Amino acid sequence: MSKIGFIGLGIMGRPMAGHLLDAGHQVTTVARPRGLDEGLAAKGMKELASPKAVAEQAEIIITMVPDTPDVEEVLFGENGVIEGLQPGTLVIDMSSIAPVPTQEFAQRIAKAGGEYVDAPVSGGEGGAINAALTIMVGATQEGFVRAQPILEIMGKTITHVGDHGAGQTCKVANQIVVALTIEAVAEGLLFASRAGADVAKVREALLGGLAQSKILDVHGERMIKRTFDPGFRIRLHQKDLNLALTSARAFNLALPGTANAQQLFQACAANGGADWDHAGILRALEKLADHEIGE
């Protein structure tokens, strides 16, 4: 069994770390003011004072934090991972961050004697809880081989996409597809409701045809039941689409659907919905239509 440092115990990170503990690994994390989750503590997780302290005791470091600056701070900030990094340590970043800084982080970790892997995930809270995440990996072949047994504890579909940064590029593409599909489901259900149809029956019918998707299944149900607790927060999806649009400008690439979805998320945020589940994009469309589904 391995000694693993897991930094980032949010909605996704908590169950992911729990699976590693259940598999018999020794897992430490960085102490937080509100204390360690009782369930993780009961499974044997220990707290240490800083990322540096975690790195000093770990063979593998996993980060699962919100954004690029957060990863940089954990790895390279004061008392960061790099200050305690042991030779040969495997550093796996499972956050969703920008591809170009990811390549830079990989170079810095390699120079310090470690092996870097970017391994962002898709599947949301349910995928994390059920150890059924899709994991998109950017790494050397050696790094992928080393990381794969650990990733398989947390995920169901693990794909080595390419070298450093390729995992993050794949995740940005994923978030484009997810955002536009959620918007499409919301528009379809809103249209059906405004036309007077039973949206639950419409969704049931659509699930049997070409429009069938996991998003129609999971997020369509959220929309109908109006359960907008996250899940995956709108503000985090905004961050991912910002990565897409910033990169698109650098590539001289037009992504009109992505830009539109970002504006609808921004409308949600402007109405107090930054922490709604991203299925809450429906609410922005409902405001434009002056109609709520089910009315």
Side-chain angles (χ1 to χ4, degrees):
M1 293 296 102
S2 299
K3 296 179 179 179
I4 300 173
F6 198 109
I7 302 172
L9 300 176
I11 288 174
M12 303 281 286
R14 281 195 302 272
M16 292 164 68
H19 295 314
L20 296 173
L21 288 160
D22 291 339
H25 295 287
Q26 298 177 35
V27 184
T28 57
T29 192
V30 177
R32 300 185 296 175
R34 61 178 175 268
L36 184 60
D37 178 88
E38 291 182 1
L40 295 177
K43 292 180 178 184
M45 179 175 271
K46 304 296 182 184
E47 291 183 301
L48 297 172
S50 67
K52 174 185 176 182
V54 170
E56 287 172 341
Q57 297 191 21
E59 301 163 299
I60 299 169
I61 300 286
I62 297 174
T63 52
M64 186 63 177
V65 295
D67 204 348
T68 308
D70 303 299
V71 176
E72 185 170 21
E73 178 64 23
V74 166
L75 295 181
F76 308 112
E78 184 178 357
N79 290 316
V81 164
I82 201 163
E83 293 185 17
L85 193 72
Q86 304 302 302
T89 298
L90 182 64
V91 178
I92 307 173
D93 177 39
M94 304 189 75
S95 319
S96 295
I97 67 170
V100 172
T102 291
Q103 294 170 342
E104 295 169 356
F105 297 165
Q107 292 170 3
R108 293 174 71 178
I109 291 296
K111 188 175 180 180
E115 178 77 45
Y116 192 90
V117 171
D118 53 286
V121 305
S122 180
E125 183 182 12
I129 291 171
N130 295 316
L133 293 167
T134 293
I135 306 176
M136 299 153 260
V137 184
T140 64
Q141 183 60 33
E142 179 185 354
F144 176 70
V145 169
R146 289 183 62 191
Q148 189 172 10
I150 297 298
L151 299 177
E152 287 175 344
I153 295 169
M154 298 175 283
K156 186 176 181 180
T157 303
I158 295 96
T159 304
H160 186 194
V161 181
D163 208 345
H164 298 122
Q168 296 295 353
T169 296
C170 185
K171 178 59 187 291
V172 172
N174 177 84
Q175 295 303 79
I176 293 170
V177 173
V178 169
L180 270 63
T181 308
I182 291 176
E183 181 188 355
V185 168
E187 289 192 15
L189 295 181
L190 183 62
F191 170 81
S193 175
R194 188 67 182 83
D198 181 331
V199 289
K201 292 294 185 182
V202 168
R203 171 179 165 273
E204 182 181 339
L206 294 178
L207 284 170
L210 191 59
Q212 190 278 332
S213 70
K214 187 172 183 178
I215 286 172
L216 176 62
D217 184 12
V218 175
H219 292 303
E221 183 177 32
R222 276 182 176 271
M223 292 172 189
I224 292 167
K225 293 183 176 179
R226 309 194 71 77
T227 52
F228 297 121
D229 294 336
F232 187 73
R233 301 178 194 275
I234 280 175
R235 60 179 171 84
L236 295 178
H237 210 145
Q238 284 184 285
K239 177 261 298 182
D240 293 339
L241 295 190
N242 186 55
L243 294 176
L245 293 168
T246 300
S247 297
R249 282 193 294 273
F251 300 152
N252 197 26
L253 176 68
L255 298 176
T258 304
N260 186 58
Q262 181 74 304
Q263 288 300 305
L264 290 169
F265 281 142
Q266 183 58 38
C268 293
N271 284 275
D275 285 319
W276 296 341
D277 183 83
H278 51 177
I281 200 171
L282 172 69
R283 288 181 165 180
L285 293 166
E286 288 175 333
K287 277 191 171 289
L288 290 172
D290 193 26
H291 175 82
E292 288 189 2
I293 64 171
E295 286 184 346

